């Protein structure tokens, strides 16, 4: 569960990248955070994960405030950044061990999880090589594995589906579904609407730092009194200004 | 040609981004340049005094002209040796070629721009060496306008030949090692051999001149003796130096002009050779420099079990830092390697001097005798501190992580543990250097064991002090936006500050020691208490303020 209350952030004091955001991401659902390029999705996610501080407002993750109860809040979530070009000099397995150490996953559990994840993502043969030798998609997969090895309550992903091949993309979506169905939270940003329409239980549409709509897809159709696709509603919503 | 200049500007801008990345930091840039300038003044002053003395002596036997040849040849040698390092970093480790290749730019233009960047660095290097020589000579010999004009022209052409030689050497090496699975390691080894070769050469030259103590009179005799000794070796290595020297000497005659033309012709020939060879060797050598080895083989069960054994958070983080440091060539060369080579540098003069045995024997007697013990301990301590401050591991601990630091901020590791983990690699490397230095000294000099123990006991807090200071400084002004790893460590001025602080600390300690005249034991206890207290203070500062400094880094 993630809660944002009145969250505001501006860069260099000029443009408001995120403006008075209120958002509730419930448990047990896949929540899609949609918006065009530059809408403020990454900025929001960076505030939720503690990378940047909001100018105003409050953020809690499973009830733990990221600003005041930082460590507890950080233990609640796992974050997959939009750029996977990190830890390149480590070998795949070394990275997974690093993550398991930081999140204090016991030996037996980390072993089972790594083996299972490697199998599902078809990465068993790559774990002994440095991440630098991986393709873009493989780098994404190792970052995702690094998060799932500690089984977070809240799973936060920034543009996770760009760059994955069809099979890995399918596997990831399957995992997101399992994660939500086990009563935990999935929060991800995307600008790919076809995916969102099929995958998400609930979406929020953000443009220029403001939430334009938040709810389920049927609610959205009802709200606009049309049976158009998410794509045309989205284009309609973000067209103005 | 326009494109070449444009490219050069872009490359220099990337390189200089640490100088002027933030707006309104013009005064800071100025201050830094001023600091560098002030740091060089004593060196240049010493050079002027030396050259002036040499001139007077040589003028008596009418050989003062040899001075110019020696200066040009010596500068060429320095340019060549430094050129190897510049070329490696500008041509091979800057990793921008892969961005330029897809653009509508001819390969020759990329080569030309890179050459200009390296040349610019070389001009700055050459200026600090040759300007004092030319000017001192000019003043002493009463040179006219033509003298200075010719000197300037020789200066312009001077770096081209040694730089070309350095480029050719490196290009051939990189081209024929860009193969096979162990490329990374092979190249590192090559780098090591090149540096060792440079050191060996230095030792060789010193041995040639050994016994002479390179004092002014001896050098004069050597020059007077003609093509033997140091001058012979160096001018044989760079035969064109003679043309350059003759050009300046005979600047008022046609023969001087002819010599100048010859000097330029050789430089142009070098340039053409560079372009010809570069077009053939450079791109095949630089392509895939960021590739790495991959086996794509399943890890066997035992290795897997071992490879995932749990560790505490700070240990996991420190281990990650350590691995990245050793596996990234740019970090390895700039951080890890220097801690091994710095102590070895000290060996060169010891090994190359024939009279070093007597010198060392007298030194060891001096050490054991009474009140000089305290001062020698401070000297050893200062050596450790300076050595630790020239190691840029801790001063780049945050910077080296780059954008990765933001992912680290999302991890539930207490900031204090993260900072301690960041402190470990640099401190460990400095301790290794200290151990090497102590072992070396104990091998050559009869050191009292009390002295050794005390040196290590005070050395550790001293090393910790420098590393703490470095990490705290890097936390204040990390340079997180870099395109290549090379940029993070090379085009970054923080290491310079660290070095400066180390030298100031060492100088203060030495001044204090001379004014106190304490015994060995007194000095040991004093230094230990002083620096343990300073460490405690800095450590507290790091743990109390460090987390909020980290917090403030946003990206
Ligand atoms: N580090 C930064 N400095 C200045 N402006 C930024 C920075 N990061 C993002 N912005 C601006 O904030 C706005 C939102 O960006 P972002 O959150 O990255 O959008 P999205 O992820 O939705 O594409 C954009 O206008 C962008 O230009
Ligand atoms: Mg984004």
């Amino acid at each position: 569960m993630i809660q944002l209350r009145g969250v505001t952030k501006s860069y260099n004091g000029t443009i408001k990248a995120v403006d008075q955001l209120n958002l509730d991401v419930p448990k047990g659902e896949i929540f899609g955070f949609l918006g065009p390029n530059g809408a403020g999705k990454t900025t929001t996610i960076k505030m939720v994960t503690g990378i940047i501080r909001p100018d105003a407002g409050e953020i809690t993750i499973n009830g733990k405030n990221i600003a005041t109860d930082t460590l507890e809040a950080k233990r609640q979530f796992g974050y997959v950044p939009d750029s996977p070009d990190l830890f390149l000099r480590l070998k795949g397995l070394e990275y997974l061990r690093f993550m398991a150490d930081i999140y204090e996953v016991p030996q037996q559990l980390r072993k089972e999880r790594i083996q299972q994840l490697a199998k599902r993502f078809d990465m068993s043969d790559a774990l002994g090589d440095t991440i630098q030798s991986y393709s873009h998609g493989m780098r994404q997969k190792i970052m995702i594995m690094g998060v799932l090895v500690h089984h977070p309550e809240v799973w936060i992903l920034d543009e996770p589906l760009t760059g994955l091949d069809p099979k890995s993309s399918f596997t990831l979506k399957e995992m997101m579904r399992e994660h939500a169905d086990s009563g935990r939270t999935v929060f991800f940003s995307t600008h790919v609407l076809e995916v969102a329409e099929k995958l998400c239980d609930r979406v929020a549409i953000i443009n220029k730092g403001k939430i334009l709509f938040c709810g389920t897809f049927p609610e959205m159709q009802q709200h606009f009194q049309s049976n158009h696709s998410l794509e045309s509603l989205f284009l309609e919503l973000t067209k103005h200004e | 040609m326009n494109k070449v200049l444009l490219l050069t500007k872009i490359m220099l801008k990337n390189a200089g981004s640490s100088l002027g990345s933030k707006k309104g930091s013009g005064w800071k840039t100025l201050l830094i340049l001023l600091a560098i300038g002030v740091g060089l003044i004593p060196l240049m002053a010493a050079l002027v005094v030396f050259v002036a003395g040499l001139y007077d002596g040589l003028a008596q036997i009418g050989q003062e002209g040899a001075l110019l040849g020696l200066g040009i040849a010596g500068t060429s040698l320095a340019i060549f040796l430094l050129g190897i390092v510049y070329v490696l970093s500008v041509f091979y480790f800057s990793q921008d070629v892969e961005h330029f290749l897809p653009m509508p730019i001819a390969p020759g233009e990329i080569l030309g721009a890179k050459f200009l960047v390296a040349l610019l660095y070389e001009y700055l290097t050459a200026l600090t060496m040759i300007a004092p020589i030319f000017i001192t000579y000019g003043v002493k010999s009463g040179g006219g306008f033509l003298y200075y004009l010719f000197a300037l022209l020789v200066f312009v052409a001077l770096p081209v030949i040694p730089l070309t030689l350095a480029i050719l050497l490196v290009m051939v090496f990189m081209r024929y090692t860009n193969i096979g699975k162990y490329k990374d390691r092979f190249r590192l080894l090559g780098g090591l051999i090149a540096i060792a070769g440079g050191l060996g050469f230095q030792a060789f030259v010193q041995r040639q001149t050994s016994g002479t103590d390179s004092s002014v009179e001896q050098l004069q005799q050597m020059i007077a003796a003609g093509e033997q000794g140091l001058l012979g070796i160096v001018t044989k290595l760079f035969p064109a130096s003679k043309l350059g020297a003759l050009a300046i000497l005979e600047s008022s005659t046609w023969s001087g002009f002819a010599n100048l033309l010859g000097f330029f012709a050789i430089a142009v020939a070098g340039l053409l050779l560079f372009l010809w060879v570069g077009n053939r060797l450079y791109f095949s050598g630089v392509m895939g420099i960021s590739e790495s080895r991959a086996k794509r083989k399943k890890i066997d069960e035992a290795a897997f079990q071992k490879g995932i054994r749990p560790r505490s958070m700070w240990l996991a983080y420190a281990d990650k830092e350590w691995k990245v440091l050793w596996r990234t060539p740019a970090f390895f060369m700039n951080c890890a390697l220097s801690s091994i080579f710095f102590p070895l540098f000290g060996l060169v003069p010891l090994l190359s001097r024939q009279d070093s045995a007597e010198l060392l024997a007298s030194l060891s007697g001096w050490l054991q005798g009474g009140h000089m013990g305290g001062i020698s301990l401070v000297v050893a301590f200062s050596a450790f501190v300076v050595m630790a401050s020239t190691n840029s591991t801790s001063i780049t601990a945050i910077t080296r992580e780059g954008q990765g630091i933001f992912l680290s901020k999302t991890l539930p590791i207490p900031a204090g543990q993260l900072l301690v983990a960041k402190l470990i690699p640099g401190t460990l490397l400095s301790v290794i250097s200290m151990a090497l230095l102590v072992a070396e000294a104990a091998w050559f000099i009869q050191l009292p064991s009390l002295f050794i123990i005390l040196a290590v006991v005070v050395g550790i807090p001293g090393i910790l002090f420098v590393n703490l200071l470095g990490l705290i400084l890097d936390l204040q002004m990390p340079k997180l936006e870099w395109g290549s790893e090379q940029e993070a460590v090379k085009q970054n001025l923080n290491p310079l500050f660290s070095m400066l602080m180390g030298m100031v600390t060492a100088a203060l300690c030495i001044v204090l020691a001379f004014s106190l005249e304490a015994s060995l034991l007194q000095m040991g206890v004093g230094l230990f208490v002083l620096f343990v207290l300073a460490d405690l203070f800095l450590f507290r500062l790091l743990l109390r303020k460090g987390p909020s400094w980290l917090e403030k880094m946003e990206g």
Side-chain angles (χ1 to χ4, degrees):
Chain A
M1 196 173 67
I2 308 172
Q3 280 191 330
L4 285 84
R5 288 289 172 270
V7 172
T8 299
K9 172 77 190 176
S10 62
Y11 289 107
N12 312 318
T14 47
I15 340 146
K16 282 197 171 158
V18 171
D19 194 2
Q20 284 291 328
L21 215 67
N22 292 308
L23 204 61
D24 283 283
V25 181
K27 272 182 205 271
E29 286 186 7
I30 300 181
F31 192 105
F33 196 38
L34 316 183
N37 293 326
K41 304 183 293 292
T42 298
T43 303
T44 306
I45 288 179
K46 281 182 173 172
M47 288 190 285
V48 171
T49 54
I51 295 175
I52 55 182
R53 255 176 196 277
D55 302 335
E58 253 192 23
I59 299 169
T60 59
I61 300 155
N62 276 352
K64 310 283 193 300
N65 190 316
I66 186 77
T68 54
D69 198 1
T70 312
L71 277 189
E72 259 319 302
K74 284 179 181 173
R75 279 195 196 101
Q76 304 301 316
F77 69 83
Y79 162 59
V80 181
D82 51 353
S83 152
D85 300 328
L86 297 164
F87 298 100
L88 296 183
R89 301 285 173 179
L90 291 189
K91 293 176 181 165
L93 190 64
E94 287 169 351
Y95 173 64
L96 296 180
R97 181 191 191 187
F98 171 76
M99 291 298 277
D101 287 338
I102 297 288
Y103 287 88
E104 299 176 310
V105 183
Q107 165 94 3
Q108 192 52 36
L109 208 53
R110 66 171 78 180
K111 184 182 170 205
E112 284 162 16
R113 283 182 191 159
I114 291 173
Q115 281 173 335
Q116 190 208 354
L117 284 166
K119 207 164 148 200
R120 283 184 76 174
F121 274 127
D122 201 14
M123 289 283 283
S124 305
D125 290 348
L127 289 185
D129 298 328
T130 55
I131 296 177
Q132 183 146 50
S133 74
Y134 291 5
S135 71
H136 182 81
M138 289 165 81
R139 289 178 186 182
Q140 262 179 309
K141 287 195 267 185
I142 200 79
M143 298 302 280
I144 292 167
M145 290 167 71
V147 162
L148 293 183
V149 81
H150 62 89
H151 233 58
E153 276 300 311
V154 175
W155 189 11
I156 301 171
L157 308 95
D158 196 359
E159 306 278 359
L161 295 159
T162 36
L164 288 183
D165 62 29
K167 180 170 173 279
S168 308
S169 176
F170 178 79
T171 310
L172 176 61
K173 285 185 272 185
E174 210 175 51
M175 285 176 169
M176 285 161 83
R177 177 47 60 203
E178 287 164 18
H179 204 84
D181 287 350
S182 70
R184 288 172 295 166
T185 312
V186 178
F187 179 61
F188 79 105
S189 77
T190 186
H191 54 252
V192 188
L193 299 170
E194 296 78 21
V195 175
E197 185 168 355
K198 293 201 197 85
L199 187 62
C200 299
D201 300 309
R202 195 180 293 271
V203 297
I205 295 179
I206 182 175
N207 194 23
K208 301 194 174 159
K210 287 195 162 88
I211 300 272
L212 303 177
F213 174 84
C214 182
T216 63
F217 182 52
E219 277 170 14
M220 191 169 174
Q221 282 179 323
Q222 204 178 13
H223 180 81
F224 292 99
Q225 298 183 344
S226 81
N227 52 5
H228 287 310
S229 68
L230 178 62
E231 183 176 28
S232 54
L233 290 177
F234 177 85
L235 289 175
E236 182 66 27
L237 260 174
T238 55
K239 176 178 72 178
H240 305 294
E241 295 174 64
Chain B
M1 198 59 202
N2 274 338
K3 270 191 195 159
V4 175
L5 291 181
L6 186 72
L7 270 176
T8 310
K9 236 161 73 186
I10 293 172
M11 288 173 189
L12 280 175
K13 201 168 260 169
N14 285 342
S17 54
S18 67
L19 277 173
S21 59
K22 283 190 196 114
K23 280 168 223 139
S25 67
W27 61 272
K28 210 157 108 192
T29 311
L30 214 69
L31 215 67
I32 290 163
L33 290 178
L34 206 72
I36 298 173
V38 169
L40 284 174
I41 285 176
L43 277 176
M44 287 164 80
L47 193 57
V48 166
V49 171
F50 181 71
V51 170
L54 203 55
Y55 182 94
D56 289 340
L58 283 171
Q60 287 167 10
I61 48 170
Q63 283 279 355
E64 70 273 20
L67 201 55
L68 288 179
L70 185 67
I72 294 175
T75 309
S76 300
L77 182 64
I79 286 176
F80 171 73
L81 291 177
L82 280 172
I84 292 178
V85 180
Y86 290 156
V87 169
L88 274 173
S89 71
V90 171
F91 280 78
Y92 289 94
F93 292 137
S94 67
Q95 288 170 3
D96 50 3
V97 178
E98 287 175 17
H99 299 299
F100 294 133
L101 276 182
M103 297 179 187
I105 306 169
E109 288 169 340
I110 299 179
L111 271 173
K114 292 218 165 259
F115 186 82
L116 285 183
V117 172
L119 192 62
L120 201 73
Y121 288 148
E122 294 285 30
Y123 276 132
L124 293 179
T125 314
L127 191 66
T128 58
M129 282 187 74
I130 202 76
I133 297 177
F134 280 173
I135 293 174
T136 311
Y137 189 93
V139 170
K140 282 264 175 194
S141 65
F145 170 74
L146 274 178
Y147 167 85
Y148 287 104
L149 181 69
F150 273 52
L152 185 69
L153 290 174
V154 166
F155 168 74
V156 168
L158 175 61
V160 174
I161 298 163
L163 178 61
T164 306
L165 284 180
I167 291 176
L168 294 183
L169 189 77
V170 172
M171 273 187 182
V172 169
F173 180 75
M174 292 310 254
R175 168 63 186 86
Y176 294 107
T177 56
N178 193 5
I179 38 169
K181 301 187 286 189
Y182 295 98
K183 198 169 57 186
D184 267 3
R185 258 154 242 194
F186 194 46
R187 284 192 166 160
L188 280 180
L189 196 72
L192 289 183
I193 291 171
I195 295 171
L199 287 180
F201 184 80
Q202 196 193 337
F204 171 72
V205 170
Q206 284 203 2
R207 206 166 249 289
Q208 288 296 315
T209 62
S210 109
T212 67
D213 213 359
S214 40
S215 71
V216 172
E217 296 88 43
Q218 301 285 346
L219 204 58
Q220 286 162 6
Q221 278 178 19
M222 218 173 51
I223 292 171
E227 296 282 288
Q228 273 136 32
L230 176 67
L231 182 62
I233 296 167
V234 180
T235 40
K236 260 179 220 144
L237 258 177
F238 298 99
S241 333
K242 210 164 181 175
L243 285 178
L246 287 175
I248 302 177
L249 280 175
E250 303 168 0
S251 54
S252 51
T253 69
W254 282 110
S255 113
F257 188 67
N259 278 314
L260 186 67
L261 278 186
F263 195 60
F264 265 85
I266 292 177
V268 169
L271 211 61
L272 291 177
L273 183 69
F274 155 72
L275 280 176
W276 189 78
V277 176
N279 266 319
R280 274 155 193 78
L281 295 186
Y282 177 54
F283 293 99
S284 44
V286 76
M287 293 301 259
I289 192 154
S290 55
E291 279 169 23
S292 56
R293 192 163 64 99
K295 295 192 295 276
R296 297 292 185 264
K297 243 179 67 197
K298 206 175 161 82
I299 304 171
D300 68 60
E301 177 66 23
F304 185 83
Q305 282 282 8
K306 216 174 135 225
I308 58 168
R309 266 205 304 253
R311 296 162 299 181
S312 56
M313 281 187 214
W314 67 270
L315 193 62
Y317 208 95
D319 181 53
K320 182 210 93 181
E321 295 280 310
W322 185 253
K323 286 201 168 94
V324 172
L325 189 67
W326 284 82
R327 287 181 192 170
T328 312
F331 297 169
F332 175 79
M333 301 249 296
N334 286 289
C335 301
L337 199 58
S338 67
S339 56
I340 296 167
F341 270 93
F342 190 97
L344 293 187
F345 264 115
L347 270 182
V348 173
L350 287 181
L351 289 179
S352 56
R353 295 178 59 117
Q354 276 145 6
D355 56 358
S356 53
E358 297 153 41
L359 186 86
L360 291 179
S362 61
L363 195 66
S364 110
W366 192 65
L367 269 180
Q368 273 152 332
H371 72 285
M372 291 310 283
I375 288 176
S376 5
L377 184 67
V378 171
V379 170
F381 174 81
S382 300
F384 301 151
V385 164
V386 169
M387 194 171 54
S389 73
T390 55
N391 186 313
S392 36
T393 309
S394 288
I395 187 84
T396 58
I398 307 290
T399 295
R400 272 184 289 112
E401 196 154 0
Q403 297 294 307
I405 195 78
F406 301 121
L407 188 63
S408 296
K409 279 177 77 175
T410 71
L411 302 177
I413 175 174
Q417 286 198 35
L418 187 150
L419 292 172
V420 168
K422 289 238 170 240
L423 202 56
I424 290 173
T427 310
L428 202 59
L429 283 172
S430 301
V431 169
I432 291 175
S433 319
M434 177 175 77
L436 280 175
L437 209 60
V438 168
E440 224 170 73
W443 178 268
F444 284 100
I445 313 171
Q446 287 286 315
L447 284 176
S449 45
L450 177 66
F451 182 84
I452 296 182
I453 292 168
L454 277 179
V456 171
V457 165
V458 298
I460 288 173
I463 285 171
L464 202 57
F465 175 77
V466 172
N467 281 281
L468 276 163
L469 219 54
L471 181 57
I472 289 173
L473 203 70
D474 199 32
L475 276 165
Q476 307 304 312
M477 38 183 186
K479 178 179 188 263
L480 299 172
E481 307 219 353
W482 36 261
S484 70
E485 291 139 341
Q486 180 76 13
E487 231 175 278
V489 281
K490 260 274 140 83
Q491 292 153 14
N492 178 346
L493 287 166
N494 288 359
L496 213 69
F497 282 127
S498 156
M499 218 182 298
L500 222 64
M501 286 186 311
M503 286 178 185
V504 169
T505 308
L508 284 180
C509 288
I510 289 179
V511 168
L512 207 69
F514 271 98
S515 52
L516 283 182
E517 286 193 21
S519 77
L520 181 62
L521 202 60
Q522 286 168 332
M523 189 54 79
V525 172
L527 279 177
F528 184 76
V529 170
L530 185 67
F531 278 86
V532 164
L533 284 179
D535 287 346
L536 283 177
F537 171 77
L538 287 181
F539 199 67
R540 242 174 89 95
L541 183 72
L542 182 72
L543 290 188
R544 289 186 132 201
K545 288 274 177 331
S548 69
W549 290 331
L550 265 182
E551 183 73 46
K552 284 205 188 83
M553 283 170 214
E554 299 194 338

